[in-house]
Structures are given as structure tokens and as C-alpha cells.
Amino acid sequence: MPVAAPRQRCRGWRPSSSAMTRLMLGRTLERICKGVLLLCLLHFLIMMILYFDVYSQRFDLFSRFNNGRNGSRNSSSSGSGAGGSSNASVGAAGSGHHFYYYNLSRPNATLAAGEQLVASAQPEGSQTPSPKPLPPCPDNPPGLVGRLLIEFSSQMTMERVQRENPNVTDGGRYTPPDCRPRWKVAIIIPFRHRENHLKYWLHYLHPILRRQRIDYGIYIINQLGEETFNRAKLLNVGYAETLRDGEYDCFIFSDVDLIPMDDRNLYHCYDQPRHFAIAMDKFGFRLPYAGYFGGVSGLSNKQFLKINGFPNEYWGWGGEDDDIYNRITLNGMKVSRPDVRIGRYRMIKHERDKHNEPNPQRFNKIQNTKNTMKKDGISSLTYRLVQVKKYPLYTNISVEIGKPPPRPMKG
């Protein structure tokens, strides 16, 4: 009888390398799909939470609206039932004139502690409610951005600037609606043939000033004619003319080609005369010398009168800002400045204007400030007002300021 051959032990199946690769790839794709699905579920959950949060706030707002309206109706009907004739005319069902006011200044936010959202009827006739006084504006406005990106490559138009600043009224005036500023500021710009620079200045400064909660008006003092330019005299004219237009107590004098690079450089007055433009790009963002007071500066009405305003006899470029610095120090005041990191400015590059050549007499005049400041200044200002025209973004004041006296002959 033949003997059966011994059975061989079955060995496990081993997949090939290509099959192993496909298996690993499939598992990887499966894990990726699960991760994507998990992220989608998480995103959906977050969106539902936000949706119900907003929905609950809106539901709370409408419920408060209805409660306020019902309360107003109840109060008016109870007043009528009591026989009070004055209450019957306000909010009565038959009057047909209801004006409700609500505190909706913070949409999608809950009310702070102690606040109530209550409807109130506007009185008619002689009954006028006393408006609630506004709180003082904060020293550090909460909406400031800090360091700004300033560029002049994009094309700028007045129409664009006007669209960007709908809350600015005719003449370039603005008042914060939610607080009471300490100062009423007139911003004065000496001007001639700088229309393109003015567009960029308005484009950047209007939003900055509004974020700073400044009550301000912008005044362009335009020197007519082609006689030698006189920056300081135009600033004196601006001071005199702005006081005719409003009750200003702070005056900021700015060149039209200087743009602040940080909105924390607050454009209002201080206890001492203020020099804002302390770090211009053309000077390597450094103060060129200790007595420099050019570019952008500010004085209160009291400080301006104490130094008799600015000199009128600096015709041409240079010297007037040093004379103003001398007037400040000679009258016992000191110049205050912001931090150098905040007082940075960019200048719009341009060629020097015609009829604004360097004044060769400026150095002699600066040395005689002590002798001339009492008789040369706002007290001796003369000019001819030609036109005052209010534009949507600024007030233009065109003047004739004369011409420089003839220079003494040499020899």
C-alpha cells in the first residue's frame, strides 16, 4: 500500500510591493477625508453658534422695542385717563405723531450695565426735552490706528476724497457726534499753486482728524498774484480770518506737502506751543536742529497772542519758523514735541516754487527777533481779502498781501 506524501504547511499570503503601496495610499486618503469632514463639521458648528448668538441678540432687541413701545402707550393712556391735558397731547393714540428714539449706537452688542433701551416720545409744541450733555472726548481716542502707510503713487481726485468723508460738512468742518472735544481747532494752510498736493493732504488728514475726535475746520489761505511768497504772513491772515468764521481757540499751521505717518500725533493744542513735524523723511526722520519749528506747529489763542503772532516781513523761503521759535522762548514758553516715533512725516516731493527763492535777509532778521517781535506780527498785519468760498472739504480764503519792500542798495 503506497504511503501518502506529507502535506506541506500552508504559508500566509504576502502582497506584492505595488499592492502594499496602494493599500497605504488608500488608508492615507481615508484619513484625509475624515480630517476634512471633521473640519467641515467644526466649521458648521461654529457658524450655528454665531447665527444663534446674533439671532438671540436681534430677538432681544425686538422684544425691548415692543416693551418700550407698549410702555410708552401705557404711559400716554394713563396720562389721558388721569385728565392731564399735557400728557394727552404727547404720545396719545389719536394724535398721529409719534417719534421714537433708541440707543442703537452699538449694533449686535449687549447693553452695558445700567443701560436701558426704552422708547421715548418726542414732545410737541412748547415741551422740548433737554438734550443729554455729551461726555468729554477721551485723551486717547479708542479708534486710532497708529503707524500709517503713506503713499503718493495712486491718482487722487477731490470727488474720491469727498466720497471717503461723507460726515465732513461744507467748509471742511467736522464735530464728533459722540463726545465733547476740549479744543475747537482751526487748521491753517498757506497756499499757492499746490492743487495736487492738497488732494493728498485732504485724503489723509480728514480720516485722521475724525479718528482723533477733533472738532475742526480746514482753511486754505491762498496768496493771489505772483509776488514773492510769504508763508508767515499768510498764517497771520489765516488766524484773523478763521476767528471771523468760528469760535476757535486752537490753531494748527501746516504745510500742504506734509502728511503725518501716525494718527497718535494728536492735532490739538497743549500747555506749551506744539511742534508736530519733528521727524520728516527728508531729514532722515530726525530733528535737524534743536530750534527747528517748521512744517507743522500749533498754538492756542492765548499763546499766539502772547508772541504777537508771526512775523510779516519774511518774504521768500526760510527763516520765519526760527523767528517764531525765538518768540516762543523769549516770552518764557517752551516748545513741546511728540515722541520721535510718533512725530514722523512724509513730504510730497516737488520742485521749489517760483517766487519763493531763499530769503537772503533771513539770518539778520532772526538775530533781531527780540527787537522786532513787538511791532511786527498780528498787531501790524495788513492785507486785502478778495474771496471766501466754502468747498465740501475746505474753506478757501484768497487774499492779496502786498509785496516785499525794495532791498537796500549795496555799497
Side-chain angles (χ1 to χ4, degrees):
M1 183 174 181
V3 180
R7 296 180 179 179
Q8 293 182 354
R9 186 176 297 176
C10 294
R11 297 179 179 179
W13 175 80
R14 294 182 180 179
S16 62
S17 59
S18 60
M20 182 65 71
T21 302
R22 288 195 298 270
L23 180 62
M24 294 179 62
L25 180 60
R27 290 179 178 177
T28 302
L29 290 175
E30 181 182 4
R31 291 173 182 173
I32 292 174
C33 291
K34 289 181 179 179
V36 172
L37 179 61
L38 182 61
L39 289 176
C40 292
L41 291 175
L42 182 61
H43 179 265
F44 176 77
L45 180 61
I46 294 174
M47 293 300 296
M48 292 300 295
I49 293 174
L50 293 176
Y51 172 79
F52 283 113
D53 180 62
V54 173
Y55 177 81
S56 63
Q57 292 176 10
R58 293 187 63 184
F59 179 79
D60 180 68
L61 176 63
F62 289 127
S63 65
R64 292 174 184 271
F65 176 86
N66 292 328
N67 292 337
R69 181 173 60 183
N70 294 334
S72 177
R73 288 179 176 175
N74 293 336
S75 62
S76 63
S77 61
S78 62
S80 301
S85 59
S86 60
N87 290 336
S89 64
V90 180
S95 65
H97 298 283
H98 298 276
F99 302 92
Y100 297 100
Y101 295 86
Y102 303 92
N103 181 14
L104 302 180
S105 60
R106 295 183 297 148
N108 295 335
T110 57
L111 294 175
E115 289 183 336
Q116 293 182 350
L117 189 60
V118 180
S120 59
Q122 182 182 17
E124 297 178 358
S126 61
Q127 294 186 354
T128 302
S130 57
K132 185 177 180 181
L134 294 174
C137 291
D139 294 334
N140 297 307
L144 298 181
V145 177
R147 186 68 63 84
L148 305 173
L149 175 63
I150 307 297
E151 58 88 20
F152 309 116
S153 59
S154 60
Q155 187 175 3
M156 193 61 57
T157 64
M158 284 295 184
E159 291 76 17
R160 172 184 170 182
V161 181
Q162 189 173 350
R163 289 195 304 268
E164 294 170 344
N165 300 278
N167 296 327
V168 176
T169 59
D170 282 349
R173 301 287 293 273
Y174 176 79
T175 301
D178 55 351
C179 63
R180 186 179 70 257
R182 162 67 180 87
W183 300 94
K184 192 174 182 66
V185 182
I187 301 177
I188 300 170
I189 300 177
F191 188 87
R192 187 167 66 179
H193 306 323
R194 294 286 192 90
E195 287 75 11
N196 190 50
H197 293 176
L198 180 59
K199 297 173 187 176
Y200 286 104
W201 193 96
L202 295 170
H203 165 70
Y204 284 112
L205 265 295
H206 269 305
I208 289 175
L209 296 169
R210 287 190 287 110
R211 290 198 299 269
Q212 292 181 354
R213 301 292 200 276
I214 304 295
D215 182 355
Y216 69 89
I218 293 177
Y219 296 86
I220 306 301
I221 315 302
N222 181 34
Q223 179 176 338
L224 295 176
E226 298 300 328
E227 294 291 346
T228 305
F229 195 70
N230 191 324
R231 177 179 180 269
K233 190 171 185 178
L234 290 173
L235 298 180
N236 279 340
V237 172
Y239 170 84
E241 289 297 323
T242 55
L243 285 178
R244 295 183 180 182
D245 193 52
E247 297 180 355
Y248 294 105
D249 55 2
C250 175
F251 304 86
I252 293 181
F253 308 95
S254 174
D255 290 344
V256 74
D257 56 2
L258 287 176
I259 311 296
M261 300 177 65
D262 197 309
D263 61 2
R264 293 171 295 178
N265 194 359
L266 301 179
Y267 272 39
H268 59 69
C269 287
Y270 296 79
D271 294 337
Q272 297 290 335
R274 188 75 165 182
H275 183 215
F276 296 94
I278 67 169
M280 300 182 196
D281 55 353
K282 75 169 186 176
F283 295 136
F285 296 110
R286 295 187 300 271
L287 191 69
Y289 51 92
Y292 184 66
F293 198 69
V296 185
S297 58
L299 293 91
S300 68
N301 188 49
K302 183 178 180 181
Q303 294 164 356
F304 187 88
L305 293 176
K306 189 173 183 179
I307 65 173
N308 192 24
F310 299 157
N312 297 310
E313 299 303 326
Y314 280 82
W315 298 90
W317 180 87
E320 78 285 346
D321 47 357
D322 295 326
D323 191 294
I324 298 167
Y325 181 87
N326 290 342
R327 291 175 181 236
I328 292 171
T329 57
L330 289 170
N331 281 278
M333 294 184 289
K334 296 181 179 180
V335 171
S336 64
R337 294 186 171 103
D339 186 276
V340 68
R341 293 167 295 182
I342 293 178
R344 296 163 65 96
Y345 280 75
R346 279 204 66 186
M347 174 178 282
I348 306 175
K349 294 182 180 179
H350 61 90
E351 299 294 332
R352 179 164 293 167
D353 303 322
K354 294 181 179 180
H355 308 292
N356 191 30
E357 293 77 12
N359 181 0
Q361 301 176 355
R362 63 187 185 276
F363 299 109
N364 292 332
K365 289 181 176 295
I366 293 170
Q367 296 176 358
N368 292 317
T369 302
K370 186 175 182 180
N371 300 324
T372 59
M373 65 180 182
K374 296 298 182 182
K375 56 185 179 181
D376 177 22
I378 192 65
S379 61
S380 61
L381 176 66
T382 59
Y383 63 99
R384 190 174 80 87
L385 178 63
V386 177
Q387 184 188 54
V388 177
K389 187 172 182 179
K390 292 184 180 297
Y391 292 93
L393 299 170
Y394 63 95
T395 298
N396 184 83
I397 301 175
S398 296
V399 294
E400 293 178 351
I401 59 173
K403 56 184 179 180
R407 296 177 182 175
M409 298 293 294
K410 296 182 179 180

